[in-house]
């Protein structure tokens, strides 16, 4: 009985001891992590470490923001270059006739009854270019630097072709540009309209606010054409260049 | 082998404390530590009295709780009053703890010595059942 009592008493004390110990162990572990429980030296070291880290991170941040700035600038430059290239391309395509255009201009209509010859169309195109036309389309066929106006035999008669495509009647010629100038260029005394009237052909001229001109269907290909590059004379002495060419 | 039970109880307590999720506030860590010191002193005192064959379970248990509680309370009061009673308690219980430990050590060394002597005497003379029973009693 006595032995049981002492076992019980010790066990009781030990259980409580164990609980107290483990609780204290945990609490102490937690408390050591708390800043206010730390030693001043540790705290100073921690502050130093953190300051170093912070300054490092600050310099890294500055580097990165520099990089970002550079990249952004580069990107903007690229976009600018891209934009200007696109504009250049658009200009070239417009000039080349490979891009549809629209704008104010003049519409010249020949009725199907009028006896228009292909040479009349060539003259008309010439007159229009001379009057400041920026783009011309004959019967929906865009005229560019390679265009040719001719005729061919078909259905027992002759038909006018532009770029080897037959025109349709009533024949409509569209020209963009200053519509007043264009009209005046044709109607001036002794001009195109007078000349046509002499042949009993009376085209209708109509100024339009917005004309739509299609793109040419097959852009020109250059097989033999090469760009001519002017040789740069770096030394400024013509004799040397001649020698080099001879060699 | 009865002392296995209290050791098992100690591990049980540690296990229970780990998994019970008991959390004490950080300010109480100091007082709990002094309570643990007092409790440890009581346990060691109990062991000593056991070895000295003057063990009383009521005295040990009452000392265990009273000392732990009073030590924590005194340390707390000391903090409130601006007197560092904490260090006084640490000192007193520390001294007592080491005192108890040294007494236990002395006792154990004496015990082992006497047992060896008896053992040697047993081997010199004829071994009797009486000696072994005495040894058994001592061991208990």
């Amino acid at each position: 009985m006595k032995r049981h009592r002492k076992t019980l008493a010790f066990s009781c004390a030990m259980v409580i001891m164990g609980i107290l110990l483990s609780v204290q162990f945990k609490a102490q572990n937690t408390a050591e992590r708390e800043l206010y429980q730390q030693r001043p030296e540790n705290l100073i070291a921690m502050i130093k470490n953190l300051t170093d880290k912070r300054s490092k991170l600050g310099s890294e941040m500055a580097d990165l923001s520099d990089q970002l700035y550079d990249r952004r600038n580069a990107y903007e430059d690229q976009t600018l270059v891209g934009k200007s290239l696109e504009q250049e391309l658009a200009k070239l395509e417009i000039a080349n006739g490979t891009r549809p255009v629209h704008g104010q201009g003049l519409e010249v209509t020949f009725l199907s009854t009028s006896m228009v010859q292909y040479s009349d169309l060539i003259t008309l195109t010439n007159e229009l270019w001379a009057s400041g036309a920026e783009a011309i389309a004959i019967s929906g066929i865009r005229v560019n630097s390679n265009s040719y106006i001719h005729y061919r035999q078909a259905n027992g008669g002759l038909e006018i072709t532009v770029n080897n495509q037959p025109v349709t009647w009533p024949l409509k010629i569209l020209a963009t540009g200053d519509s007043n100038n264009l009209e005046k260029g044709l109607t001036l005394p002794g001009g195109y309209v007078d000349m046509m009237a002499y042949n009993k052909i009376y085209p209708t001229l109509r100024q339009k606010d917005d004309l739509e001109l299609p793109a040419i269907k097959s852009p020109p290909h250059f097989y033999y054409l090469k760009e001519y590059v002017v040789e740069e004379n770096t030394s400024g002495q013509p004799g040397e260049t001649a020698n080099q060419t001879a060699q | 082998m009865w002392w296995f039970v209290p050791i098992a109880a100690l591990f049980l307590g540690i296990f229970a404390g780990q998994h019970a999720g008991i959390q004490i506030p950080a300010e109480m860590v100091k007082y709990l530590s002094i309570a643990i010191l007092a409790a440890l002193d009581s346990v060691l005192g109990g062991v000593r009295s056991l070895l000295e064959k003057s063990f009383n379970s009521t005295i040990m248990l009452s000392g265990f709780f009273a000392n732990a509680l009073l030590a924590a309370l005194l340390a707390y009061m000391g903090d409130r009053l601006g007197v560092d009673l904490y260090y006084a308690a640490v000192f007193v219980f520390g001294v007592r703890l080491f005192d108890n430990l040294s007494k236990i050590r002395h006792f154990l060394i004496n015990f082992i010595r006497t047992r060896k002597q008896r053992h040697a005497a047993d081997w010199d003379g004829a071994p009797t059942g009486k000696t072994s029973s005495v040894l058994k009693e001592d061991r208990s």
Side-chain angles (χ1 to χ4, degrees):
Chain A
M1 185 63 201
K2 203 181 171 190
R3 179 180 288 183
H4 279 309
R5 278 187 69 177
K6 77 181 172 196
T7 312
L8 195 69
F10 266 106
S11 304
C12 209
M14 283 306 205
V15 167
I16 290 160
M17 264 300 279
I19 292 171
L20 285 180
L21 276 175
S22 59
V23 168
Q24 169 74 359
F25 189 75
K26 268 203 293 192
Q28 188 68 26
N29 269 353
T30 329
E32 268 174 11
R33 269 180 255 132
E34 302 274 342
L35 282 179
Y36 67 89
Q37 293 274 358
Q38 301 278 343
R39 285 182 174 186
E41 305 95 57
N42 288 351
L43 287 174
I44 289 166
M46 275 165 78
I47 288 172
K48 217 179 164 190
N49 278 347
L50 286 175
T51 320
D52 287 357
K53 220 177 205 174
R54 196 188 147 169
S55 64
K56 262 187 200 168
L57 286 175
S59 59
E60 205 178 315
M61 207 170 86
D63 284 355
L64 286 175
S65 57
D66 278 0
Q67 272 185 32
L68 183 72
Y69 182 73
D70 288 352
R71 293 266 161 90
R72 208 172 265 170
N73 271 357
Y75 174 72
E76 271 171 18
D77 286 354
Q78 277 181 5
T79 6
L80 277 182
V81 167
K83 264 187 194 166
S84 63
L85 278 176
E86 242 171 54
Q87 283 172 357
E88 192 71 16
L89 179 71
K91 264 189 211 168
L92 289 173
E93 277 184 349
I94 288 168
N96 228 1
T98 44
R99 186 177 278 224
V101 290
H102 72 103
Q104 66 155 305
L106 190 72
E107 187 190 78
V108 184
T109 316
F110 292 101
L111 292 176
S112 50
T113 48
S114 50
M115 296 292 288
V116 184
Q117 291 187 349
Y118 80 96
S119 54
D120 296 335
L121 279 188
I122 294 173
T123 317
L124 174 62
T125 323
N126 277 346
E127 292 292 333
L128 284 171
W129 286 133
S131 312
E134 288 166 0
I136 299 175
I138 300 170
S139 177
I141 303 159
R142 183 82 173 267
V143 177
N144 72 338
S145 57
N146 293 59
S147 296
Y148 52 96
I149 299 166
H150 208 57
Y151 67 95
R152 69 180 177 200
Q153 286 201 331
N155 302 330
L158 296 178
E159 61 178 15
I160 299 172
T161 58
V162 177
N163 293 350
N164 212 22
Q165 286 174 302
V167 296
T168 50
W169 298 90
L171 183 56
K172 275 187 180 176
I173 293 102
L174 308 178
T176 55
D178 187 332
S179 43
N180 272 327
N181 282 356
L182 291 174
E183 190 173 353
K184 273 175 196 161
L186 297 185
T187 53
L188 58 89
Y192 183 74
V193 173
D194 282 358
M195 204 173 80
M196 287 287 114
Y198 186 72
N199 292 335
K200 304 270 187 314
I201 297 167
Y202 304 104
T204 323
L205 307 186
R206 222 172 276 141
Q207 291 189 18
K208 292 258 173 149
D209 285 339
D210 196 43
L211 288 173
E212 282 185 16
L213 275 67
I216 58 163
K217 277 168 189 151
S218 51
H221 293 289
F222 302 110
Y223 298 108
Y224 303 102
L225 196 81
K226 276 179 195 144
E227 193 185 357
Y228 176 70
V229 183
V230 181
E231 223 174 274
E232 275 186 37
N233 194 350
T234 45
S235 60
Q237 292 172 348
E240 256 178 50
T241 326
N243 283 343
Q244 278 171 1
T245 326
Q247 280 164 9
Chain B
M1 302 300 265
W2 65 271
W3 43 267
F4 264 130
V5 180
I7 289 173
L10 176 69
F11 284 109
L12 184 77
I14 289 172
F15 183 80
Q18 284 286 329
H19 294 273
I22 305 168
Q23 290 258 329
I24 57 159
E27 314 88 67
M28 300 298 283
V29 170
K30 197 174 158 188
Y31 310 126
L32 189 63
S33 68
I34 199 76
I36 285 175
L37 195 65
L40 197 65
D41 169 62
S42 291
V43 169
L44 285 177
V47 172
R48 198 191 90 190
S49 61
L50 201 70
L51 294 173
E52 287 172 351
K53 297 201 191 326
S54 62
F55 178 77
N56 185 317
S57 58
T58 320
I59 289 174
M60 198 213 83
L61 274 184
S62 62
F64 181 87
F65 289 112
N67 276 355
L69 281 176
L70 278 176
L73 204 68
L74 269 180
Y76 176 75
M77 285 306 291
D79 272 4
R80 291 284 83 81
L81 295 173
V83 187
D84 263 346
L85 283 179
Y86 172 83
Y87 293 107
V90 167
F91 179 74
V92 169
F93 286 118
V95 166
R96 277 180 54 167
L97 203 135
F98 283 109
D99 191 40
N100 281 337
L101 269 178
S102 75
K103 279 185 177 153
I104 291 167
R105 199 184 68 236
H106 278 262
F107 188 89
L108 281 178
I109 289 169
N110 279 338
F111 175 77
I112 290 165
R113 267 195 195 150
T114 25
R115 205 173 69 162
K116 264 189 183 171
Q117 278 169 7
R118 274 189 199 169
H119 206 62
D122 284 349
W123 277 105
D124 286 345
T128 57
K130 200 186 171 189
T131 346
S132 57
S133 76
V134 167
L135 270 176
K136 232 185 200 172
E137 244 175 47
D138 278 350
R139 235 185 263 153
S140 63

